[in-house]
Amino acid sequence: MSQSSKYNAAITAIGMYVPETILDNKYFEKIVETSDEWIRTRTGISERRKLDNGATSDLAVKASQDLINTYKINPEEIDVIIVATVTPDMFFPATACIVQNKIGASNAWGFDLSAACSGFLFALHSGAALIESGSFKKVLVIGADKMSSIVDYTDRNTCILFGDAAAAVLLEPTEDKSLGLVDSILRVDGTGESSLYMRGGGSLYPATHETVDKRWHYIYQDGKAVFKVAVKGMADVSYEIMQKHNLKSEDIAYLVPHQANLRIIDATAERMGLSKDKVMINIDKYGNTTAATIPLCLVEYHRDGKIKKGDKLVLAAFGAGFTWGASLLVWSLDH
Ligand code: UT7
């Protein structure tokens, strides 16, 4: 990423976890005024997962253990844990601390990163910078959200969209500057605050009977307003990173988009000149899992043998804040 650094940060291990309980579109037909047809055509979602017992740290721990077991990583060697989430177990301690304890990463420090649906991209870039600094050798970057804990299951505008999941990547230094995270273009725009938020529970509106009665501890989204800026924001920044690195569509193996809405994903791919087979998609199975969508795609596509070492990937996201961005990542895992 940084020209001056001796190292690039490369992904050397991956893991994921989705809970077993499936909520299909038919389930929502029973609880709100909606239809399978509306949900599929307007969002691309058929199913999403729900964690029945436990918290975001439990999702994150299972994804981390998948990574640790698959790649025989010694948790004591992990230096840093970054958990991207908007559904921390509690305000404090950070979910990263809870994960650290549960996976036995006895020598790690860490923190949570709040950037909603762009959380994984922001965390990946932050983790890579720590690797490039030369100070840390193993950074665990986790995208984890138990969205069901903040979804209002009486609001058809939002409840059909979200699901629970976690996925994790391990970053390590490589002197091969052709691999790993090459660059990111990351943005925030706080004027987006009024379009997508959870109003209650923070220092502005601490929990009271009134905040509960007003349903302020749930997600509020002005879907149409977010849709408009998301389509433009994600497509613009993905195109910008291509231009910046002189990449043509044929140079890119996959677009790895945040999975919020299939129509936003299609618009981004179209702007980049990419055909559908070069776009990672699993929104049909999991819905919008916020910080987990992008790493979940990476893990599934890798395990399906669809990506190989050296492949150029453009990761792109848009979310509450607003936050958005695109990263250029060269895949570094062998099969
Ligand atoms: O990941 C973080 C960033 N978030 C996003 O990127 C999400 C961006 N927004 C979206 O993906 C879309 O705006 C939604 C999927 C949330 C909504 O789709 P839309 O095509 O923008 O629908 P809309 O909000 O314009 O609503 C169209 C109609 C409305 O009815 P009227 O006013 O036309 O009578 C809604 O009340 O669809 C209605 N509607 C529904 N109907 C059936 C809204 N939700 C539902 C539903 N089932 N679940």
Side-chain angles (χ1 to χ4, degrees), residues 43 227 231 234 255-272 279-283:
T43 70
F227 187 89
V231 162
M234 215 160 99
L255 165 67
V256 192
H258 169 55
Q259 312 277 309
N261 188 314
L262 197 54
R263 292 180 291 146
I264 301 174
I265 294 172
D266 287 347
T268 303
E270 196 177 316
R271 181 82 190 282
M272 297 169 75
V279 184
M280 290 194 191
I281 303 218
N282 59 16
I283 189 171

Side-chain angles (χ1 to χ4, degrees), residues 105-327:
S106 50
N107 295 301
W109 65 283
F111 55 92
D112 290 1
L113 189 151
S114 174
C117 297
S118 308
F120 183 76
L121 285 196
F122 286 22
L124 186 70
H125 189 90
S126 306
L130 292 172
I131 293 283
E132 287 172 16
S133 73
S135 304
F136 304 101
K137 297 233 165 346
K138 283 188 171 60
V139 177
L140 184 63
V141 177
I142 307 168
D145 270 300
K146 186 188 175 192
M147 296 307 289
S148 62
S149 66
I150 57 167
V151 160
D152 181 351
Y153 285 97
T154 66
D155 176 11
R156 71 173 182 174
N157 291 295
T158 51
C159 70
I160 52 114
L161 298 171
F162 295 98
D164 303 339
V169 303
L170 187 71
L171 296 174
E172 291 188 74
T174 172
E175 290 190 28
D176 182 346
K177 300 278 279 186
S178 70
L179 293 176
L181 189 67
V182 177
D183 194 12
S184 304
I185 302 173
L186 305 173
R187 302 260 157 77
V188 304
D189 175 3
T191 62
E193 182 202 341
S194 55
S195 302
L196 182 47
Y197 56 79
M198 188 175 87
R199 183 169 288 171
S203 56
L204 184 60
Y205 298 110
T208 60
H209 284 292
E210 193 193 355
T211 62
V212 172
D213 289 344
K214 288 183 165 166
R215 311 185 84 77
W216 283 3
H217 298 274
Y218 294 123
I219 300 165
Y220 167 82
Q221 175 172 245
D222 177 348
K224 208 175 280 218
V226 177
F227 187 89
K228 268 192 212 147
V229 281
V231 162
K232 185 166 167 14
M234 215 160 99
D236 280 355
V237 81
S238 304
Y239 186 68
E240 195 182 328
I241 206 157
M242 282 176 76
Q243 297 287 100
K244 190 174 166 191
H245 293 273
N246 293 316
L247 293 171
K248 298 192 187 62
S249 53
E250 55 266 32
D251 301 324
I252 295 165
Y254 279 100
L255 165 67
V256 192
H258 169 55
Q259 312 277 309
N261 188 314
L262 197 54
R263 292 180 291 146
I264 301 174
I265 294 172
D266 287 347
T268 303
E270 196 177 316
R271 181 82 190 282
M272 297 169 75
L274 292 180
S275 53
K276 282 217 160 92
D277 58 322
K278 288 181 137 197
V279 184
M280 290 194 191
I281 303 218
N282 59 16
I283 189 171
D284 49 320
K285 292 189 290 180
Y286 305 126
N288 183 349
T289 57
T290 304
T293 59
I294 290 176
L296 205 56
C297 275
L298 290 173
V299 177
E300 287 205 327
Y301 274 69
H302 178 79
R303 289 183 176 170
D304 286 349
K306 292 180 182 161
I307 34 175
K308 56 180 193 311
K309 191 172 177 176
D311 276 353
K312 290 193 174 71
L313 310 173
V314 172
L315 284 44
F318 193 96
F322 296 121
T323 56
W324 72 105
S327 295

Side-chain angles (χ1 to χ4, degrees), residues 26-45:
K26 292 275 170 210
Y27 168 82
F28 288 91
E29 288 181 351
K30 287 185 222 135
I31 61 168
V32 289
E33 183 85 37
T34 191
S35 68
D36 173 48
E37 158 79 12
W38 191 96
I39 300 171
R40 274 189 295 104
T41 54
R42 308 292 268 215
T43 70
I45 301 166

